[in-house]
């Protein structure tokens, strides 16, 4: 399965693509989509760059699914709203290509990759390098995106195993007797 990880950002959006074959992971590509060529106040143009960049990555590498980081609430509400819009542009680019999208928090990704939900970006870079056997550390945004893809590869295996081992059956939670619920 080919997985695309996206670390959304208004100035720099990271992407990372891996192939997952059971527990074996293979690095395919990673990089960033930068919006610095456009004026900082031109939000629609920046969102278009993110959307077009994600669509180009999808067209070039043909992923089968995607994992995107969930935005956390910053101290500055305006920054949170802008980041949310960048994330929306990236997700729209993914679903426009009919990709299923999974969402994870940075805390979940860091916990899965480093073992500590409050790990520093440098620790994520180092672990991604080791997990994918890369010759050097990827950039911070690309490392986060690769971390999301790695986490999704492991999570999807776990979810598939759980779905095979149990069947969901409808249960009745209450009984009605004389217009009373028990």
């Amino acid at each position: 399965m080919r997985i695309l990880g996206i670390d959304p950002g208004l100035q720099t959006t990271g992407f990372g693509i891996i192939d997952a074959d059971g527990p074996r992971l293979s690095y395919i590509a990673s990089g960033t989509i930068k919006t610095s060529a456009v004026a900082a106040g031109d939000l629609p143009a920046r969102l278009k760059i993110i959307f077009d960049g994600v669509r180009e990555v999808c067209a070039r590498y043909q992923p089968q699914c995607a994992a995107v980081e969930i935005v956390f609430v910053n101290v500055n509400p305006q920054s949170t709203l802008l980041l949310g819009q960048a994330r929306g542009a990236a997700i729209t680019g993914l679903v426009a290509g009919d990709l299923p999208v999974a969402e994870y928090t940075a805390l979940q990704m860091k916990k899965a990759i480093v073992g500590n939900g409050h790990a520093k970006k440098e620790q994520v870079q180092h672990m991604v390098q080791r997990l994918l056997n890369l010759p050097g550390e990827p950039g911070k945004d690309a490392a986060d995106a690769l971390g999301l893809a790695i986490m999704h590869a492991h999570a999807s295996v776990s979810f598939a195993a759980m779905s095979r081992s149990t069947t969901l059956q409808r249960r009745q939670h209450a009984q009605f007797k004389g217009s009373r619920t028990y």
Side-chain angles (χ1 to χ4, degrees):
M1 173 177 15
R2 183 159 288 181
I3 304 167
L4 167 61
I6 297 284
D7 178 30
L10 191 57
Q11 292 180 2
T12 305
T13 293
F15 69 88
I17 300 112
I18 63 167
D19 277 342
D21 182 18
R24 287 190 302 276
L25 303 175
S26 304
Y27 172 84
I28 301 301
S30 63
T32 55
I33 302 164
K34 295 187 181 281
T35 63
S36 55
V38 175
D42 193 355
L43 180 64
R46 286 180 162 224
L47 297 178
K48 183 175 181 352
I49 290 170
I50 295 168
F51 174 83
D52 290 343
V54 168
R55 295 287 294 138
E56 182 182 331
V57 168
C58 290
R60 181 176 294 166
Y61 296 105
Q62 299 292 310
Q64 296 164 303
C65 60
V68 179
E69 185 175 303
I70 296 173
V71 175
F72 61 91
V73 178
N74 289 315
V75 175
N76 182 346
Q78 182 65 24
S79 295
T80 303
L81 288 172
L82 292 172
L83 182 57
Q85 291 180 29
R87 183 174 176 274
I91 290 174
T92 303
L94 295 168
V95 298
D98 294 323
L99 282 178
V101 178
E103 300 174 282
Y104 303 100
T105 66
L107 189 85
Q108 289 172 315
M109 184 272 292
K110 290 176 181 179
K111 180 79 172 166
I113 301 302
V114 180
N116 175 7
H118 300 288
K120 295 183 177 172
K121 286 203 176 259
E122 293 80 15
Q123 292 172 297
V124 174
Q125 286 176 285
H126 182 69
M127 283 305 295
V128 165
Q129 177 189 6
R130 292 193 62 177
L131 290 169
L132 295 175
N133 200 22
L134 301 175
E137 288 184 352
K140 292 179 182 181
D141 297 304
D144 284 353
L146 287 166
L148 287 162
I150 293 167
M151 180 188 173
H152 184 66
H154 294 306
S156 61
V157 169
S158 298
F159 291 146
M162 287 181 356
S163 69
R164 285 191 305 270
S165 66
T166 61
T167 57
L168 298 175
Q169 295 178 348
R170 188 174 181 163
R171 283 184 18 187
Q172 284 204 330
H173 293 284
Q175 295 179 354
F176 293 94
K177 282 188 180 179
S179 73
R180 297 184 95 178
T181 304
Y182 296 94

